[in-house]
Amino acid sequence: MFYLVGVDLGGTKIATALTDTDCQILKYETVRTEASRGADAIVDQMIDEIRRLTDGLPKESILGIGVACAGLIEPGTGKVLYSPNLNWRDLPLKDMIARKLNYPVYVGNDVNMAALGELHYGAGIGKKHMICVFVGTGIGGGIVIDGHLYEGANGFAGEIGHATIDWDGPDCPGGNAGCWEGFASGTAMQRRALEALDRGETSMLREMLRGDPGKMRVELIAEAAAKGDALSQRLIDETGELLGAGCANLVNILNPERILMGGGVIRGVPELVDRVEAVIQRRALKDAAAAVEVVRARFGREAGVIGAAVLVKLAGKP
Ligand SMILES: [Zn+2]
């Protein structure tokens, strides 16, 4: 029996999985990222987790370690060029891990790895032209062209959340203004809910928050909407329209056969998937719209570790 290891390294948690060679999870663990202790400490945390999960297995049965990392990863070298979540620049992550563990190590961007997992084992199996749209605190994307993940000139392809949808819109930390994720992400949804409450709108959200705006969550909005709260229903309608408008742009540009939607906002409000599909049918060019279906991603929080395991598996193939 052979095994793969997939690690999902984020700013708040490190998830580690041992999988079989079909990328099925056999063991899964998460720990909090000790982000304030710096890169060496975080790499040590990862290595402890990997050792724990592979304990007792013959060394030659481990085919390699894949790491899905939040940030811009240099293809080939496994160097983290920039990770805002971890506050890293030019960190040779692959070499740091490989130096301490004598296995082949592969590093990729977390969102791209999630797309890779969906393409090979999830809701994208057999699809040649697909766009994965992950809606959470931001909006991340993975673009599949001719059956392969498209990385672009220097590995930065798929940053769909920073597409401009309002030339005069709010500033984005990335330097642009009016980015899609500034309107349609979970963060944006929560912000708009709080703004409406500040304006004095009537809503059961006010009581649900019990005076603490920090408790605003997409799940709370979904719960209130289900109970008939007009503000929450409007926020979901608007988010559906905003997500759909952005996806219609993607449909016009790339003519995908499938748009796959995942991330915390879609898990919290699954009906957004159908709404997005309806908006695409209304807004995108007719023949491009006719070719596309919108579906939910198969994997949830485990998407990153599965994709990282897929990266190891693909690396072993010619
Ligand atoms: Zn942006």
Side-chain angles (χ1 to χ4, degrees):
M1 177 116 186
F2 291 99
Y3 303 93
L4 309 167
V5 176
V7 183
D8 187 356
L9 173 59
T12 53
K13 68 161 195 183
I14 302 169
T16 310
L18 181 75
T19 79
D20 64 15
T21 51
D22 284 325
C23 303
Q24 296 283 319
I25 294 177
L26 305 170
K27 290 187 199 170
Y28 180 83
E29 278 186 20
T30 61
V31 290
R32 282 196 80 74
T33 311
E34 292 175 26
S36 60
R37 291 181 52 213
D40 285 309
I42 293 172
V43 169
D44 286 343
Q45 270 191 297
M46 286 173 55
I47 285 167
D48 286 347
E49 286 298 295
I50 294 165
R51 287 203 172 118
R52 206 191 331 271
L53 259 68
T54 56
D55 188 38
L57 298 172
K59 187 160 179 60
E60 61 277 11
S61 72
I62 312 293
L63 298 182
I65 295 159
V67 182
C69 179
L72 176 58
I73 315 298
E74 187 172 62
T77 66
K79 195 170 168 187
V80 181
L81 297 179
Y82 178 48
S83 174
N85 304 36
L86 292 153
N87 202 14
W88 288 352
R89 273 184 197 277
D90 296 320
L91 187 87
L93 181 61
K94 174 183 158 159
D95 293 345
M96 288 169 79
I97 301 167
R99 220 176 288 141
K100 295 195 175 176
L101 290 171
N102 197 18
Y103 297 117
V105 179
Y106 309 92
V107 181
N109 167 267
D110 58 347
V111 177
N112 278 348
M113 292 307 99
L116 201 61
E118 292 289 342
L119 176 64
H120 289 271
Y121 292 99
I125 294 176
K127 296 297 163 194
K128 281 192 158 337
H129 307 287
M130 177 174 78
I131 305 165
C132 300
V133 180
F134 297 103
V135 191
T137 52
I139 300 178
I143 297 170
V144 172
I145 295 177
D146 277 327
H148 298 283
L149 189 69
Y150 179 71
E151 293 188 297
N154 63 351
F156 217 13
E159 290 288 342
I160 57 177
H162 298 285
T164 308
I165 63 163
D166 177 357
W167 66 276
D168 204 18
D171 286 346
C172 169
N176 190 23
C179 290
W180 188 26
E181 67 176 34
F183 292 90
S185 64
T187 314
M189 211 171 160
Q190 289 163 198
R191 190 198 65 228
R192 285 187 293 121
L194 291 172
E195 285 169 357
L197 294 181
D198 280 348
R199 283 195 304 269
E201 278 199 45
T202 312
S203 166
M204 65 176 74
L205 285 173
R206 200 182 303 278
E207 275 164 37
M208 291 165 90
L209 289 176
R210 293 193 182 125
D212 181 2
K215 283 196 182 133
M216 182 63 81
R217 294 285 177 277
V218 169
E219 289 78 4
L220 211 65
I221 297 170
E223 192 187 324
K227 290 178 185 159
D229 183 59
L231 169 63
S232 298
Q233 287 171 347
R234 195 184 76 223
L235 287 166
I236 289 173
D237 287 346
E238 286 171 359
T239 302
E241 190 68 30
L242 285 160
L243 285 174
C247 287
N249 291 343
L250 295 170
V251 167
N252 286 341
I253 296 167
L254 289 162
N255 187 201
E257 58 189 315
R258 177 164 283 192
I259 287 185
L260 194 152
M261 302 198 73
V265 171
I266 303 300
R267 282 198 294 277
V269 195
E271 70 259 37
L272 283 170
V273 173
D274 287 342
R275 289 167 187 246
V276 165
E277 169 119 50
V279 177
I280 289 171
Q281 294 306 324
R282 180 154 41 81
R283 284 184 181 260
L285 294 169
K286 200 164 136 278
D287 294 300
V292 71
E293 55 176 349
V294 185
V295 304
R296 254 186 99 170
R298 174 174 170 196
F299 303 120
R301 292 177 214 284
E302 74 282 22
V305 294
I306 292 171
V310 174
L311 186 66
V312 178
K313 184 169 169 165
L314 294 180
K317 287 186 177 168

